[in-house]
Amino acid sequence: MTTETHCPYCSLQCGMRLTGRRTPEVAAWEEFPVNRGALCRKGWSAAGLYGSRDRLTTPLVRDRATGEWSAVSWDDALDRVAAGIRGAQDARGPDGVAVFGGGGLTNEKAYSLGKLARAALRTSQIDYNGRWCMSSAASAGIRAFGLDRGLPFPLADVEETDVLVLVGSNLAETMPPAARHLDRLRELGGRVVVIDPRRTPTSDRADLVLQPVPGTDLALAVGLLHLLVARGAVDEDYLADRTTGWSQVKESVAAWWPERVERVTGVPAAEVRELAALLADSPRVMVLTARGAEQHATGSDTVLAWINVALALGMVGRRGAGYGCLTGQGNGQGGREHGQKADQLPGYRRIDDPAARAHVAGVWGVGPETLPGPGRSAYELLDALGTDDGPSAMLVFGSNIVVSAPNATHVTRRLESLDLLVVCDVVMSETAAIADVVLPVTQWAEETGTMTNLEGRVVLRQRAITPPSGVRSDLDVISGLASRLSTVPFATDPEEVFAELGRASAGGPADYSAITYDRIRDEGGVFWGGERLFGSSFAHPDGRARMHAVEHRGTAEQPCADYPVHLTTGRVLAQYQSGAQTRRVRALPDDGAFVELHPLLAGRLGIADGSSVRVSTRRGTMTAPARVVTTIRPDTVFVPFHWVGANRLTNDALDPASKMPEFKVCAASVVAA
């Protein structure tokens, strides 16, 4: 038996075939257009978690007095959860319970989770970990273009550009099958530019590498635009016909001459000029941002600054050119479109829009007035848990908060302060380990559902194997809780849920109403909104893009005498997100966390390669082995975030527009341990 499905990890959603029923094996699916049979190490070993002794197969409840776990029946577990929710809402009102989702959930799960919160629980307190992934780019895309879709064109269009600028992306390690597009682009005579404080494997595929101080990508963008204006390289006709706000943007970049950019970013003025000349002289330019540029308290403005560059060159909407965002999580795109985000309803509708509320309420069979308004964003929600005006109970689906949240020690204390914490997971993750009730759910190849990849292509993950006895799908869990707490019906068949999602999203910015499972199978995925966007018009009412004058404000936390270096975080090739799954796959190397630092810094501190070092910030401390490398800035250290530790250090300062925490830079001290 062979099943065509998709990888459980990143937003490429690479196509793969699974063979076998009990112990599935991964095989190539050459015809799927995104990856053409290519997979990374994580993809090839994706079936490695099946049969693991760590797999949860029965509901568990924890005795708070002793910390001991007991197995219970599903009815008992769901009854306990429902009773705890009623108690929290009796004491604190509807917002006494919170729901926290994930960017790896299928569209069907994300939709049902939002419906559970708004229609059954009537709580406004719902958000998800995708807030920490895509929100800055999403906020900027909506403001600039009137619409948020990570890539408004197929990924393969990368091969058609003349210059590709990657800002804060380590594409070769985070989504290796996509790196072939960089190689092909260069074979065709194109140029690749990488902007990153570290020289990564992606930099090895680049023609020009700029290494700015973490948190200064915005200053680099405005400096480039200053030079493009000075060279007369902006497309004045395009700006006049297709944008608004150019005069204010032009004025705002006037003072950003290259030497000032060098003082702020650490990028030599000559390199800034070299990049500006490259962009000015190229017929087609494509700018792609990722988490390195976006996970900042100024992340939204940084993305707007790079969008300004693409618009000023007249590139957005042209084939083989423009701006896009490289989504991170597997369903980072679809996960924010259908209602698990604090301010949204299905179809990417705003929850404070009366027409949107009326439409969705009609699909759900409830009164619009019963739907709550916008709730707290992800970190604000976690920060409020257990406080006088915050929720006292929370349901967690598809997220390992203890590892992935910024200022994680504080967030863990807030989780522990709850009267009831319920976690649905495949394994006993670090977050599940502090829960009161843990519900074992199906994973990836044991269930069917849709995902929306980084291109806006809706794909179908198909069930390939039978889940272990005692395990239920998240849709079953949601339906079981809803039936105990309300009269609103919840379907459990994924295709039925997807059809309802289509009705709820109809007419919205992300309209899935014309997409069906059969179409996805027949067409190799279906792009919502069309394969390429913005060719003749943007999504604002007047059809024009909005340019925004933005100013470099610096990072929320600057180095000082006590914390003299920059700390940045990111991924490594063999692990994914919080590592709850990949750290349990034997075929993937798990060397644990490390601290990457430059020989100049290591020599000054008396640190040798492989020796133990202690990294501290105002929020916490961690100890890990040193990796002394020449590929990082001397004023910066790097720690991967797949293990407990890194996010005990990171800053919870939030972007005012997107509510993105400043994961990518904070002030730190490093000493030999």
Side-chain angles (χ1 to χ4, degrees):
M1 178 67 180
T2 298
T3 303
E4 291 177 344
T5 188
H6 296 272
C7 179
Y9 298 120
C10 82
S11 65
L12 283 181
Q13 284 301 286
C14 291
M16 60 169 60
R17 289 188 168 100
L18 290 182
T19 61
R21 278 294 186 186
R22 293 187 177 179
T23 55
E25 294 184 2
V26 175
W29 180 8
E30 293 87 351
E31 297 81 8
F32 187 69
V34 174
N35 60 308
R36 297 293 182 189
L39 294 169
C40 72
R41 179 184 293 184
K42 293 188 291 290
W44 285 117
S45 62
L49 192 59
Y50 291 102
S52 169
R53 290 179 293 179
D54 291 342
R55 185 68 188 275
L56 298 175
T57 58
T58 187
L60 300 171
V61 297
R62 183 169 65 92
D63 185 318
R64 286 201 171 190
T66 65
E68 294 182 355
W69 292 95
S70 301
V72 297
S73 70
W74 270 99
D75 281 341
D76 187 5
L78 293 175
D79 287 345
R80 288 179 187 229
V81 175
I85 291 172
R86 288 193 198 95
Q89 294 189 316
D90 286 345
R92 301 188 179 213
D95 284 355
V97 62
V99 178
F100 201 90
L105 299 178
T106 64
N107 289 315
E108 292 81 359
K109 294 178 186 178
Y111 168 78
S112 295
L113 206 57
K115 180 181 175 183
L116 173 72
R118 275 66 177 251
L121 304 179
R122 299 188 178 181
T123 178
S124 68
Q125 302 299 290
I126 176 172
D127 212 87
Y128 79 127
N129 63 20
R131 174 77 68 171
W132 304 334
C133 176
M134 285 293 300
S135 59
S136 289
S139 171
I142 291 170
R143 291 166 67 189
F145 307 134
L147 185 70
D148 160 40
R149 200 178 85 182
L151 290 184
F153 41 73
L155 182 63
D157 281 11
V158 165
E159 299 179 6
E160 301 179 21
T161 196
D162 294 297
V163 178
L164 173 66
V165 183
L166 292 172
V167 190
S169 168
N170 183 9
L171 189 73
E173 285 196 283
T174 58
M175 46 183 69
R180 76 184 194 282
H181 296 303
L182 309 187
D183 298 335
R184 180 60 177 158
L185 169 61
R186 297 179 75 195
E187 289 172 4
L188 294 171
R191 307 285 294 278
V192 175
V193 179
V194 169
I195 298 170
D196 196 314
R198 304 165 63 223
R199 289 192 70 98
T200 66
T202 307
S203 304
D204 295 339
R205 288 175 152 94
D207 301 280
L208 178 63
V209 179
L210 278 60
Q211 292 185 262
V213 173
T216 63
D217 297 304
L218 192 160
L220 180 58
V222 297
L224 284 171
L225 190 50
H226 169 97
L227 286 172
L228 293 172
V229 172
R231 294 175 64 96
V234 300
D235 189 333
E236 297 287 357
D237 291 339
Y238 178 96
L239 291 170
D241 293 343
R242 301 207 58 191
T243 73
T244 64
W246 166 236
S247 61
Q248 293 89 342
V249 170
K250 182 178 180 180
E251 181 179 351
S252 73
V253 303
W256 282 94
W257 55 89
E259 287 72 21
R260 182 185 179 193
V261 174
E262 178 177 345
R263 288 198 299 271
V264 172
T265 68
V267 176
E271 293 182 7
V272 180
R273 289 188 172 95
E274 181 181 359
L275 177 54
L278 184 61
L279 301 184
D281 296 339
S282 299
R284 292 169 300 181
V285 173
M286 183 181 291
V287 178
L288 302 181
T289 64
R291 304 305 80 70
E294 300 159 11
Q295 286 182 324
H296 294 275
T298 56
S300 296
D301 283 354
T302 298
V303 175
L304 286 170
W306 285 99
I307 289 175
N308 285 342
V309 171
L311 288 170
L313 290 168
M315 297 296 165
V316 183
R318 294 181 56 194
R319 181 159 177 157
Y323 166 79
C325 168
L326 294 167
T327 307
Q329 293 191 78
N331 201 29
Q333 182 70 50
R336 66 184 182 274
E337 294 172 349
H338 297 302
Q340 64 172 334
K341 196 160 171 269
D343 56 355
Q344 288 174 355
L345 289 171
Y348 224 139
R349 289 181 164 91
R350 291 188 58 86
I351 199 169
D352 56 5
D353 177 1
R357 293 168 64 86
H359 175 84
V360 174
V363 174
W364 290 347
V366 300
E369 72 284 354
T370 67
L371 300 180
R376 295 177 171 97
S377 72
Y379 184 81
E380 293 170 318
L381 174 55
L382 297 175
D383 189 43
L385 296 177
T387 62
D388 290 344
D389 63 346
S392 62
M394 187 163 76
L395 311 176
V396 179
F397 292 76
S399 187
N400 189 8
I401 301 167
V402 167
V403 178
S404 61
N407 196 3
T409 300
H410 169 71
V411 168
T412 301
R413 293 193 188 108
R414 297 268 43 90
L415 291 168
E416 292 173 335
S417 74
L418 291 167
D419 295 333
L420 175 68
L421 175 61
V422 181
V423 173
C424 297
D425 212 328
V426 174
V427 295
M428 186 63 78
S429 68
E430 288 81 359
T431 307
I434 63 171
D436 298 289
V437 180
V438 178
L439 302 176
V441 292
T442 50
Q443 63 169 320
W444 174 51
E446 298 165 355
E447 59 187 15
T448 293
T450 61
M451 308 284 279
T452 307
N453 82 343
L454 76 171
E455 310 163 302
R457 186 194 304 256
V458 185
V459 300
L460 182 62
R461 284 187 183 172
Q462 300 191 100
R463 174 170 164 165
I465 62 174
T466 302
S469 177
V471 170
R472 296 187 181 181
S473 76
D474 296 272
L475 295 179
D476 287 319
V477 173
I478 291 168
S479 178
L481 289 175
S483 67
R484 287 165 168 81
L485 295 163
S486 77
T487 59
V488 179
F490 281 74
T492 58
D493 176 74
E495 191 164 7
E496 185 178 345
V497 175
F498 188 76
E500 183 181 313
L501 179 160
R503 296 192 296 274
S505 69
D511 186 340
Y512 282 35
S513 60
I515 305 175
T516 65
Y517 277 23
D518 285 340
R519 274 195 68 194
I520 297 171
R521 291 188 185 99
D522 293 343
E523 299 175 27
V526 179
F527 293 91
W528 69 259
E531 189 173 15
R532 293 179 179 84
L533 306 180
F534 311 140
S536 59
S537 179
F538 295 98
H540 288 297
D542 61 2
R544 292 171 174 264
R546 306 283 190 264
M547 301 184 78
H548 296 265
V550 292
E551 285 292 336
H552 173 70
R553 302 191 299 275
T555 59
E557 196 173 82
Q558 295 289 331
C560 62
D562 293 331
Y563 301 98
V565 300
H566 301 281
L567 168 68
T568 190
T569 65
R571 301 179 185 176
V572 297
L573 175 63
Q575 299 296 324
Y576 180 71
Q577 299 298 78
S578 74
Q581 294 185 65
T582 49
R583 285 187 277 118
R584 291 172 168 85
V585 176
R586 291 183 180 179
L588 295 175
D590 180 4
D591 299 326
F594 57 87
V595 181
E596 190 176 278
L597 67 165
H598 192 276
L600 290 176
L601 179 60
R604 191 166 72 246
L605 300 175
I607 294 171
D609 186 67
S611 65
S612 186
V613 299
R614 185 168 65 249
V615 183
S616 302
T617 70
R618 291 176 174 86
R619 289 153 297 280
T621 298
M622 69 171 287
T623 302
R627 290 190 183 179
V628 180
V629 297
T630 59
T631 51
I632 193 169
R633 291 181 55 90
D635 58 3
T636 301
V637 296
F638 167 84
V639 178
F641 58 60
H642 309 291
W643 297 268
V644 173
N647 278 320
R648 290 177 177 171
L649 310 178
T650 50
N651 197 350
D652 55 14
L654 302 181
D655 181 295
S658 67
K659 306 301 182 182
M660 167 73 82
E662 191 149 74
F663 284 103
K664 278 296 181 281
V665 61
C666 62
S669 69
V670 184
V671 297

